[in-house]
Amino acid sequence: MKNIVICDAYSTGAKLAPLFREQGFKVAHVRSSETIPPHYEKTFRSHDFEIDFGFLGYDLVEASEKISRFMPDYVIAGAEPGVVLAETLSHYLSLPSNVIEKLESRRNKFVMIEAVRGAGLDVPFQINMMDAEGVHNLDLGNFTTPLVVKPANSAGGDGFRICHSRDEVVAHSNLLFGRRNAVGETNSSVLIQEYLQGQQYFVNCTSINGRHHVCEIWKDDRRPGHNGSLVCWKEDLLEPIGVVQAEIISYTLGVLDVLGIREGASHTELKYTDRGPVLIETAARLQGTIDESAVRRCIGVDVISLMVQRYSQPDEFSRFFQLPRSRRASVSCISLISNQEGRIEDARGLQRIRSLPSFHSAIHIPPIGSRISKTSDLFTSPGIIYLVGDDDTISADHKRIRKMELAGEIFNVVE
């Protein structure tokens, strides 16, 4: 029997423990902080673990000594807040992990972009601001608007804004400094970046011994949300072969090498611009908030099962590298966008959505009686719909969903 420790088994990472147990692993859990951010806490399932170490304090040497008594074969991150803890514990315990010297570049987005720039890959222009006074005194005369302003260390679009003037940059930066962000950390710095023009994509990979397997490439359409945000609109799984896909894959694998990602899952977001692929950011963990069954229905595998296979059957996983695969059907991920604020009285429209020809699943739908707000990021989306089928049917069903959404026919919301 092998042992594995999952750090912050939230969001998609909450699905890992049962799958590892099916493969004969003994699974333990450890938290990276004293408290769990609420949107993560509701996904955590403590009963999936033989041992829950809880929070072991901020002395990571001491924490690694306690974890060592479990005799783990692997320590992995379940969600973004657990990346630093998982990789540090793996380093102290001499277990397979990413390059420890490059750890900061995998969590701090400013350091990440500068590391990739230093390797000669195209990245956005950026400035890292450490306080509101610095932003106030910054001369933006030579900058081209719009500009992106966001925290250096959050996730899920939290704190992201597109700013069209100096006043907007200053005002939004002031809102971010010192605020507790979506991963439970305090914003100590703010990034000001060029807004990249082009089509957005994301790439999910699984790595073993420094070799990267591209599991999925998604076309990621986003639309303006509330207060200058960009919100998810529609994500389409692409065939792995194509001219643009080849450029994206080559660029992404270069980024993973620069950031020292050698083991496990990664999630890379980029834009394909008139300069070619340009990095937005890379996370050294699984993509959050997904229904892997929709992808498995289309291509026979999914990033979660591949992640488990990498650790439970590494030889089989390595052989899988050579297998060609194409889509059996199309799959689209639709993030619902709320234009309403208030308490959900009922969700009668969901039954109509479930009857659509291409409907596969609905996840993260807020319960009746809970409150929703206007959507500004991943965490304020009132649910995700997966559609599977042919392109025309998916397109028609997507239009029906958006029409219902605009008419307020999905959720009946009262103030």
Side-chain angles (χ1 to χ4, degrees):
M1 176 181 287
K2 289 189 175 183
N3 299 334
I4 191 165
V5 176
I6 302 176
C7 301
D8 291 348
Y10 318 138
S11 186
T12 306
K15 301 180 179 184
L16 290 171
L19 298 177
F20 276 116
R21 291 174 65 181
E22 287 178 7
Q23 296 299 316
F25 277 76
K26 187 175 182 181
V27 188
H29 182 257
V30 62
R31 289 203 319 265
S32 65
S33 59
E34 293 183 69
T35 58
I36 307 174
H39 49 270
Y40 284 136
E41 186 174 25
K42 63 186 178 183
T43 65
F44 178 58
R45 303 189 293 233
S46 60
H47 60 272
D48 286 340
F49 299 91
E50 281 84 359
I51 298 174
D52 186 357
F53 287 101
F55 176 60
L56 295 178
Y58 294 105
D59 185 335
L60 296 185
V61 174
E62 182 179 335
S64 66
E65 291 174 354
K66 293 178 181 178
I67 294 292
S68 69
R69 298 168 197 162
F70 181 65
M71 300 181 65
D73 296 279
Y74 306 106
V75 179
I76 63 173
E80 185 67 23
V83 168
V84 171
L85 178 60
E87 296 190 358
T88 305
L89 292 176
S90 293
H91 173 69
Y92 284 140
L93 297 173
S94 301
L95 301 176
S97 187
N98 298 327
V99 178
I100 193 65
E101 291 80 7
K102 298 183 178 182
L103 176 57
E104 188 179 10
S105 71
R106 295 189 289 275
R107 277 293 292 122
N108 184 296
K109 296 173 186 178
F110 176 78
V111 178
M112 175 185 297
I113 293 294
E114 293 307 307
V116 176
R117 188 195 314 281
L121 297 174
D122 201 349
V123 293
F125 171 78
Q126 65 172 0
I127 297 177
N128 191 39
M129 304 306 299
M130 303 304 294
D131 54 52
E133 183 179 359
V135 177
H136 182 76
N137 294 327
L138 184 64
D139 181 7
L140 295 178
N142 294 323
F143 291 64
T144 300
T145 55
L147 293 167
V148 168
V149 178
K150 63 182 181 180
N153 61 341
S154 193
D158 167 57
F160 176 101
R161 289 293 181 276
I162 299 173
C163 297
H164 297 271
S165 68
R166 183 183 185 282
D167 287 346
E168 288 184 19
V169 170
V170 172
H172 187 59
S173 298
N174 287 341
L175 288 176
L176 294 179
F177 281 117
R179 193 183 80 178
R180 195 167 181 81
N181 62 36
V183 299
E185 299 176 6
T186 299
N187 293 329
S188 58
S189 64
V190 168
L191 290 187
I192 302 173
Q193 293 179 332
E194 70 169 301
Y195 176 67
L196 298 169
Q197 301 289 346
Q199 176 62 54
Q200 186 155 324
Y201 297 87
F202 63 83
V203 184
N204 291 324
C205 295
T206 308
S207 302
I208 183 168
N209 300 324
R211 296 167 56 228
H212 313 298
H213 174 68
V214 176
C215 307
E216 303 166 359
I217 305 173
W218 292 76
K219 179 184 175 185
D220 184 8
D221 287 331
R222 302 201 174 199
R223 297 286 177 92
H226 296 281
N227 300 320
S229 61
L230 275 183
V231 295
C232 296
W233 179 257
K234 184 169 179 275
E235 299 164 357
D236 299 313
L237 182 65
L238 300 184
E239 293 280 6
I241 297 173
V243 175
V244 172
Q245 290 93 316
E247 285 190 63
I248 289 172
I249 289 171
S250 176
Y251 180 89
T252 299
L253 300 191
V255 168
L256 299 186
D257 288 338
V258 170
L259 299 180
I261 293 178
R262 293 182 51 82
E263 307 292 350
S266 62
H267 173 70
T268 298
E269 299 178 8
L270 56 87
K271 277 197 175 179
Y272 192 88
T273 72
D274 56 6
R275 292 148 38 186
V278 182
L279 180 66
I280 297 174
E281 59 192 56
T282 290
R285 42 81 179 167
L286 287 165
Q287 176 191 351
T289 318
I290 60 174
D291 180 1
E292 69 283 5
S293 69
V295 177
R296 192 164 57 246
R297 180 177 160 190
C298 295
I299 61 175
V301 295
D302 64 89
V303 292
I304 300 176
S305 60
L306 287 174
M307 174 75 160
V308 173
Q309 187 183 53
R310 179 262 166 268
Y311 292 102
S312 62
Q313 300 172 295
D315 292 340
E316 189 69 24
F317 174 81
S318 294
R319 283 193 289 270
F320 181 80
F321 269 70
Q322 311 304 321
L323 296 178
R325 70 181 187 282
S326 58
R327 296 180 308 171
R328 303 166 183 168
S330 295
V331 56
S332 295
C333 174
I334 312 299
S335 293
L336 296 179
I337 299 171
S338 171
N339 298 300
Q340 304 167 287
E341 289 187 313
R343 182 176 57 82
I344 299 176
E345 197 167 57
D346 65 66
R348 286 171 292 184
L350 286 175
Q351 190 56 42
R352 286 175 57 194
I353 290 176
R354 289 188 172 97
S355 68
L356 294 173
S358 66
F359 175 82
H360 174 83
S361 62
I363 64 173
H364 298 285
I365 303 296
I368 304 300
S370 64
R371 296 190 65 83
I372 60 173
S373 58
K374 293 181 179 180
T375 301
S376 61
D377 54 26
L378 177 65
F379 304 109
T380 50
S381 169
I384 293 173
I385 309 297
Y386 276 86
L387 304 178
V388 176
D390 63 82
D391 291 337
D392 289 342
T393 302
I394 288 175
S395 178
D397 289 348
H398 180 215
K399 289 177 181 176
R400 292 188 185 101
I401 292 171
R402 295 303 183 192
K403 185 176 180 180
M404 292 173 62
E405 193 175 65
L406 284 173
E409 295 174 351
I410 299 177
F411 302 102
N412 182 21
V413 175
V414 295
E415 295 298 328

